[in-house]
Amino acid sequence: MHENRETSGVPRSSGDRGRSEKVQSRTSDMHALEGSDRAVLPMNQPNKEGQPSAEVEEERVRTKENIAQSNTSPTQSGERVSQGLRGVREAAKERKQERFTALLHHLTVGLLRDSFFALKRQAAPGVDGVTWQEYETGLEDRLMDLHSRVHRGAYQAQPSRRVYIPKADGRQRPLGIAALEDKIVQQAVVTILNQIYEVDFRGFSYGFRPGRSPHQALDALTVGIQRKRVNWVLDADIRGFFDNMSHEWILKFIQHRVADRRILRLIQKWLKAGVSEDGQWSETKLGTPQGAVVSPLLANVYLHYVFDLWVEAWRKKIAKGDVIVVRYADDRAPRARRGPQGPRSAQLLN
C-alpha cells in the first residue's frame, strides 16, 4: 500500500489528535478460520436467486450495525461523523437511486480541521513546499480562508509533484504528491462521499475502504480456499490501472449518485491539475495520481461499476454454480472448482 501513502489517515476528533495510532497484530490468527470474517465466507448455502450466502450474511450484519448506530456514524478509525453526514448515509441506504444535489455544505471548517489532523505529519511536501508542521502555525485562520475559497469557487487545485519509487521487478512506480491544501480538501470530500459509497459498495470489496484491510481480504481468501475445493487459481492484474482510468468515465460513474456540481467541479480540478516533474508541468488526460488522497475512492467507484456490478450480474445469470468474490484494488486471483457444467465456484482477490 506504499503507493497510496496518504490514504490511511482519517479525520479524528480533537481529543484524539495527540494520540498515537494503535497497532494491532493479526499475525497469529491471520490464517486461522476463527480469525476470518465470517460475514464474508460463511458455511451456509447460497440462496435461491443465486446470490452467494456470503453477501447475504454480510448484508444482514451491515443492516444490524446500521440499526444499532447512535446519532453518528463510524469513520475508518471508529470515530464518529456528524449528524448531517449520518443523514446522507441514511438517505443513500434508503434511496438507492438518489442523486445528491447538495453535499458541499457538509464541508465545514471543522471537517477541514479533522481532515488536516488525519494527514501524515512527516509526509513529503508537494509543489507548494508546505509541510504539515508549517501549515499548523496559524491553522484556524488558514482553514477559514480555505473554507471560504472552496465555497466561493476560488479554490484552485495545484499540480501533483511527480516522484518515482522502485518496484520489485526493477521498474519504477510514479507517485503524485499533492499540495497540502489539496490533501486537506480531498480528505474532507472523501469523508462526505464515503457516506454514500459505503452503502453502495459490495461486501466483497476490501481495498482502500473504511474499516477494511488487506489482512481481512487475505483472511477471507484463506477461509475460502480451506473450506471449498479448488481446482485452479488465476492471478491477474490491470496494467497501470491508476494511471489509465478514463476521466470521462470516472465522472459519469460519480454522477450516478452525486449531482452537486460543486463537488463534481472539485473532482474535475484534481483530475485536470496535471503533474510537475523537475519543474516542468504536464497535462493529465488519463488516470488519477497514485498517492493522492482522493484516488483510492475514485478507483473503487470505477471498479464498482465496471467489475463488481458486472460480476454480480454474471454469476446470477450465467454462472452454473456458486461464485464467491473477494476484491482488493485492481489485482485479482480467481479460484474455481470445475464440475461437469464448468466452473462451480470462483474466488477473486482484487
Side-chain angles (χ1 to χ4, degrees):
M1 294 179 66
H2 57 274
E3 69 270 21
N4 287 292
R5 55 186 65 188
E6 280 293 349
T7 65
S8 59
V10 292
R12 298 183 291 173
S13 62
S14 301
D16 288 339
R17 291 173 194 153
R19 299 179 186 175
S20 60
E21 296 292 334
K22 294 182 179 179
V23 179
Q24 297 180 347
S25 173
R26 292 171 56 93
T27 305
S28 60
D29 64 355
M30 176 177 165
H31 298 292
L33 292 178
E34 295 79 10
S36 299
D37 188 348
R38 288 172 294 176
V40 176
L41 292 171
M43 295 298 292
N44 30 342
Q45 299 298 317
N47 63 11
K48 295 181 180 180
E49 297 179 357
Q51 182 184 14
S53 56
E55 283 132 70
V56 174
E57 280 299 316
E58 179 136 10
E59 187 61 32
R60 290 173 183 165
V61 172
R62 180 183 298 175
T63 301
K64 182 178 179 181
E65 289 176 349
N66 286 334
I67 293 175
Q69 286 173 354
S70 60
N71 291 333
T72 52
S73 301
T75 62
Q76 183 170 346
S77 64
E79 299 300 334
R80 299 287 162 173
V81 298
S82 68
Q83 177 73 19
L85 288 180
R86 181 176 181 269
V88 173
R89 191 183 188 96
E90 290 300 318
K93 181 178 64 175
E94 294 171 5
R95 301 188 291 275
K96 294 295 187 179
Q97 303 302 318
E98 181 83 9
R99 297 180 70 231
F100 291 83
T101 59
L103 291 171
L104 192 66
H105 68 278
H106 294 291
L107 196 152
T108 62
V109 173
L111 182 56
L112 290 174
R113 183 186 305 111
D114 289 343
S115 299
F116 169 75
F117 282 104
L119 300 178
K120 291 188 176 181
R121 288 144 173 78
Q122 303 304 323
V127 295
D128 57 346
V130 178
T131 65
W132 189 94
Q133 289 76 14
E134 291 171 341
Y135 200 86
E136 188 181 24
T137 302
L139 178 63
E140 291 305 313
D141 289 338
R142 292 178 186 269
L143 293 179
M144 290 180 64
D145 176 66
L146 177 59
H147 175 268
S148 175
R149 281 183 280 128
V150 169
H151 283 267
R152 288 186 289 111
Y155 160 80
Q156 295 296 327
Q158 299 187 61
S160 297
R161 182 168 68 87
R162 173 68 54 82
V163 297
Y164 295 89
I165 60 173
K167 298 178 66 174
D169 58 6
R171 294 180 298 167
Q172 290 188 318
R173 183 190 303 277
L175 293 183
I177 302 177
L180 189 63
E181 285 195 337
D182 292 335
K183 293 177 184 178
I184 296 172
V185 181
Q186 287 181 22
Q187 179 67 68
V189 170
V190 166
T191 300
I192 295 170
L193 295 184
N194 271 344
Q195 309 313 309
I196 300 171
Y197 289 111
E198 281 305 301
V199 172
D200 288 358
F201 288 158
R202 295 311 190 246
F204 54 77
S205 169
Y206 283 86
F208 314 124
R209 289 183 57 189
R212 295 185 170 227
S213 70
H215 289 109
Q216 291 175 334
L218 289 171
D219 280 352
L221 180 61
T222 301
V223 172
I225 291 175
Q226 290 179 341
R227 294 185 181 181
K228 295 203 178 270
R229 295 173 57 189
V230 178
N231 290 100
W232 55 262
V233 175
L234 172 66
D235 184 25
D237 174 67
I238 300 177
R239 180 181 298 173
F241 173 66
F242 279 89
D243 298 329
N244 291 287
M245 282 193 297
S246 164
H247 290 177
E248 179 183 1
W249 280 105
I250 290 176
L251 291 170
K252 283 183 178 180
F253 293 147
I254 291 287
Q255 288 176 60
H256 281 304
R257 288 294 249 163
V258 178
D260 189 328
R261 294 182 179 180
R262 299 168 299 174
I263 294 289
L264 296 174
R265 279 196 295 268
L266 285 174
I267 295 174
Q268 284 179 306
K269 287 179 179 181
W270 296 324
L271 292 175
K272 299 297 184 182
V275 298
S276 177
E277 185 174 357
D278 297 328
Q280 297 294 318
W281 179 85
S282 59
E283 183 182 7
T284 48
K285 296 181 179 180
L286 287 172
T288 179
Q290 295 188 53
V293 177
V294 74
S295 293
L297 175 63
L298 296 181
N300 267 335
V301 172
Y302 200 100
L303 288 166
H304 171 74
Y305 286 103
V306 304
F307 179 79
D308 295 355
L309 297 184
W310 167 80
V311 77
E312 193 171 62
W314 177 85
R315 70 184 177 193
K316 288 181 179 179
K317 298 179 180 180
I318 300 177
K320 302 298 183 181
D322 184 21
V323 177
I324 299 175
V325 184
V326 177
R327 180 175 72 75
Y328 194 93
D330 64 307
D331 300 305
R332 63 199 66 184
R335 61 99 179 159
R337 173 164 54 92
R338 299 188 68 84
Q341 294 180 321
R344 292 297 303 272
S345 65
Q347 180 81 32
L348 295 96
L349 177 63
N350 230 25

